Amino acid sequence: MTAMLEMRDVSKSFAGVQALRDVNFTVEAGQIHALVGENGAGKSTLMKVLSGVYPAGSYEGSILFDGEERRFRDINDSEALGIIIIHQELALIPLMSIAENIFLSRAPSRFGVIDRDAVYRRTAELLTQVGLRESPDTLVTDLGVGKQQLVEIAKALSKQVRLLILDEPTASLNEADSAALLDRLLAFRAQGIASILISHKLNEVARVADRITVLRDGRTVDSLDCRIEQVDEDRIIRSMVNRDLAHRFPERKVAIGDPAMTVENWSVYHPLHTGRQVIKNVDFKVRRGEVVGIAGLMGAGRTEFAMSLFGRAWGYNISGRISLDGRDANLASVPAAIHAGLAYVTEDRKQLGLLLADDVRKNVTLASLRQVSDRGVIDDVVELKAASDYRNRMRIRCSDVYQEAGQLSGGNQQKVVLSKWLMTDPQVLLLDEPTRGIDVGAKYEIYCIINELAEAGKGVVVISSEMPELLGICDRICVMNDGAFVGEFAKDDATQEKIMRAIMRNVRMSGTSAHGGEARAGDGAQ
């Protein structure tokens, strides 16, 4: 097939840090080319070079598109050729309609006036192409994340896309929405549209990719033609992390002790829709040295449950009893929860877990300022030492602790969030989607940290949408649906089939939709 895109010997550095080193990357017309690698391997940087976010002159090497060398000054230049990038953080305006989002800057017009009939008609055509049945007038805020992804793709189609770049498109989607999105990519391939898929989910990559390229430390280290070679996940992982992960989940010496946290008859109502009970009289327990998983569909109430425990950070009219180490605990506020020995790692590290514009040092010590202060004044030397210690302990890859958190890869950002809460010396740690959007190497390191916490006698609760992850790291798995626990399995007895059977049996009983959305801080599932 003809090479639509060729990137030759591309190198890019930031303040002395080499992000890309002589990368070569080719995409054929009508091909799905997957780009994989650890966080920080250079995937997003390479795509920003391609799309003109990093303009010509800021990098070395050359870009050829349709056989001609291109020097993009900005993203408008690349879009003019049909190269469209969809970032992991969607660029949609929630309180505007689908039609307004798609044609925000280039609406069809007649005599200088927006032609609303043409906008509506064209939007309806685009929505049909991406498999959405919503009205063009629907507000984006009323759509789930999966449908918002499809709106972004519809926007790309409106720009006559020829090469579609998707950065972690399924990171926040449930299995059904992920499958629908991948099916759409296959349909586009049949229409001659090429795609570059950046993903950490190797099973999804293997399903749709025609070719897989692996980056490590800013270099191209492997390329696999899926049309003539069988996809070998172990080979890809070895190429990504430069080591053999024979065991995806590290082994741990299990020594389970007395209850670290006991929750009884816990009930929570929605903070906005105050008549709606979200968490329904839940009983829950985690013991010292135990890792307990919470499984469930999106919208089951897992995040709401965890946040309501953590100093009542979410919810209204909360009732029930919590005891820590057998003693009643009054966790009426987040500071009270931290003081009592509870910590919560949010699922949304960018919005709720980090101050992206602040450096690693300030983020690590943020929840433990008393430890680095003297009579209310922060001791810079003590703070620097504490942050540096956690940087080394957690193997955070950054130039130094003065680097902005927003400049770090997803895996390293997650380690900074974990460092912040480990510095508080919690006795119970609630981890909400702790490995979402990070690569297999960083996942393994976080699993090791979870094991270290359990071996130190902490109680660890892991909320995850990835059932293999729960099965691999947890001693016990609780199944949640519609705000209640509907099943529980010991590690040796748990299987994906049993967990899904418990979920689906109760979905049918309650009428809960499998496509609902998990609540974020302060909004809840709508």
Side-chain angles (χ1 to χ4, degrees):
M1 295 180 71
T2 306
M4 170 188 285
L5 168 74
E6 289 185 76
M7 302 183 75
R8 298 177 179 172
D9 301 320
V10 174
S11 298
K12 171 74 176 170
S13 61
F14 300 93
V17 178
Q18 193 77 30
L20 298 173
R21 303 169 185 263
D22 301 317
V23 173
N24 293 291
F25 184 71
T26 302
V27 179
E28 298 172 358
Q31 179 188 63
I32 300 176
H33 194 144
L35 187 61
V36 300
E38 290 190 274
N39 287 108
K43 307 183 298 296
S44 295
T45 301
L46 185 66
M47 292 302 99
K48 287 178 179 178
V49 167
L50 170 59
S51 60
V53 174
Y54 297 139
S58 68
Y59 60 88
E60 298 174 0
S62 57
I63 298 174
L64 281 75
F65 193 77
D66 288 339
E68 295 183 31
E69 184 170 356
R70 311 289 181 172
R71 296 180 61 81
F72 300 134
R73 294 165 297 179
D74 54 33
I75 199 166
N76 292 322
D77 283 357
S78 62
E79 287 190 351
L81 292 177
I83 301 172
I84 311 296
I85 184 168
I86 299 176
H87 298 281
Q88 187 174 349
E89 289 81 24
L90 302 181
L92 298 174
I93 300 174
L95 295 180
M96 295 182 74
S97 70
I98 295 174
E100 289 168 332
N101 270 278
I102 290 177
F103 291 105
L104 184 61
S105 60
R106 359 172 297 303
S109 61
R110 296 180 62 191
F111 310 113
V113 179
I114 293 176
D115 186 340
R116 296 192 177 277
D117 290 339
V119 169
Y120 192 96
R121 184 172 58 254
R122 180 63 178 139
T123 300
E125 293 171 357
L126 293 168
L127 294 183
T128 299
Q129 281 185 263
V130 299
L132 274 179
R133 297 181 179 179
E134 271 66 23
S135 165
D137 291 330
T138 303
L139 295 182
V140 165
T141 191
D142 294 331
L143 301 176
V145 178
K147 291 182 178 180
Q148 289 184 22
Q149 283 278 13
L150 294 177
V151 171
E152 281 279 22
I153 293 175
K155 191 198 308 188
L157 292 175
S158 76
K159 300 175 183 178
Q160 304 300 314
V161 61
R162 297 181 59 208
L163 175 59
L164 183 63
I165 305 167
L166 299 109
D167 191 353
E168 294 290 347
T170 65
S172 300
L173 304 187
N174 59 32
E175 290 185 12
D177 287 340
S178 295
L181 180 59
L182 297 175
D183 287 342
R184 196 55 50 192
L185 290 187
L186 294 172
F188 291 156
R189 181 177 66 184
Q191 298 170 23
I193 298 173
S195 300
I196 298 173
L197 174 63
I198 299 175
S199 179
H200 292 125
K201 299 182 179 180
L202 298 185
N203 61 323
E204 294 181 355
V205 167
R207 179 187 161 198
V208 300
D210 300 304
R211 178 174 286 276
I212 301 170
T213 292
V214 183
L215 292 186
R216 185 179 72 237
D217 297 329
R219 299 179 185 272
T220 309
V221 294
D222 199 4
S223 189
L224 174 68
D225 189 338
C226 307
R227 295 165 296 191
I228 60 175
E229 300 178 74
Q230 185 174 356
V231 177
D232 183 347
E233 288 193 11
D234 289 336
R235 168 184 163 181
I236 295 171
I237 292 170
R238 281 194 300 272
S239 298
M240 287 171 60
V241 302
N242 198 26
R243 62 184 181 273
D244 188 356
L245 292 181
H247 303 286
R248 302 280 179 89
F249 305 100
E251 295 182 1
R252 171 170 59 88
K253 297 177 182 177
V254 179
I256 296 175
D258 295 330
M261 180 177 73
T262 302
V263 180
E264 298 176 280
N265 200 30
W266 196 252
S267 176
V268 181
Y269 286 79
H270 197 287
L272 300 179
H273 309 287
T274 53
R276 177 183 162 205
Q277 189 175 6
V278 179
I279 305 302
K280 302 173 181 177
N281 310 106
V282 162
D283 293 328
F284 179 75
K285 182 182 295 183
V286 57
R287 298 178 179 274
R288 287 193 169 276
E290 184 181 34
V291 180
V292 179
I294 300 182
L297 298 175
M298 303 286 278
R302 299 168 299 167
T303 291
E304 295 90 335
F305 175 60
M307 291 186 70
S308 66
L309 295 177
F310 185 60
R312 307 191 176 206
W314 188 92
Y316 167 79
N317 192 20
I318 299 173
S319 62
R321 177 173 174 264
I322 299 179
S323 60
L324 298 174
D325 290 328
R327 297 186 296 273
D328 282 355
N330 180 18
L331 310 182
S333 66
V334 169
I338 295 172
H339 182 72
L342 199 61
Y344 171 66
V345 176
T346 173
E347 64 173 335
D348 189 344
R349 57 179 173 266
K350 290 184 182 291
Q351 298 230 14
L352 304 176
L354 292 168
L355 299 176
L356 294 175
D358 271 334
D359 56 35
V360 171
R361 168 187 53 119
K362 290 182 179 178
N363 274 282
V364 168
T365 61
L366 188 61
S368 309
L369 292 178
R370 289 184 180 179
Q371 296 184 35
V372 296
S373 301
D374 181 15
R375 286 176 286 190
V377 179
I378 293 176
D379 186 323
D380 291 338
V381 175
V382 175
E383 184 181 44
L384 174 62
K385 184 180 185 306
S388 298
D389 287 346
Y390 273 97
R391 176 197 177 191
N392 296 329
R393 173 183 169 186
M394 303 289 281
R395 295 181 290 277
I396 301 170
R397 295 166 65 179
C398 56
S399 57
D400 54 46
V401 294
Y402 296 104
Q403 184 175 358
E404 284 186 9
Q407 296 176 353
L408 303 182
S409 66
N412 286 298
Q413 287 180 352
Q414 191 71 348
K415 291 179 187 179
V416 173
V417 177
L418 281 167
S419 298
K420 176 179 71 175
W421 290 114
L422 293 184
M423 191 171 171
T424 68
D425 191 27
Q427 300 309 302
V428 176
L429 193 62
L430 308 173
L431 304 176
D432 196 348
E433 301 287 0
T435 64
R436 172 175 286 171
I438 64 177
D439 60 80
V440 290
K443 282 184 178 182
Y444 189 87
E445 292 181 343
I446 288 175
Y447 298 151
C448 289
I449 293 166
I450 291 172
N451 283 357
E452 290 170 9
L453 291 168
E455 289 175 1
K458 314 290 187 183
V460 183
V461 179
V462 178
I463 297 169
S464 177
S465 298
E466 298 186 30
M467 278 194 278
E469 179 172 83
L470 293 176
L471 293 168
I473 66 174
C474 296
D475 304 305
R476 181 163 51 93
I477 299 173
C478 298
V479 182
M480 199 169 193
N481 180 63
D482 195 26
F485 286 110
V486 295
E488 181 177 317
F489 301 94
K491 180 181 181 69
D492 294 338
D493 190 42
T495 65
Q496 292 196 50
E497 291 76 14
K498 288 181 178 180
I499 293 171
M500 280 307 301
R501 196 176 298 123
I503 292 172
M504 298 312 296
R505 180 174 63 245
N506 286 277
V507 165
R508 286 194 295 271
M509 290 172 60
S510 66
T512 298
S513 168
H515 302 290
E518 190 80 42
R520 289 190 165 186
D523 61 11
Q526 301 297 323

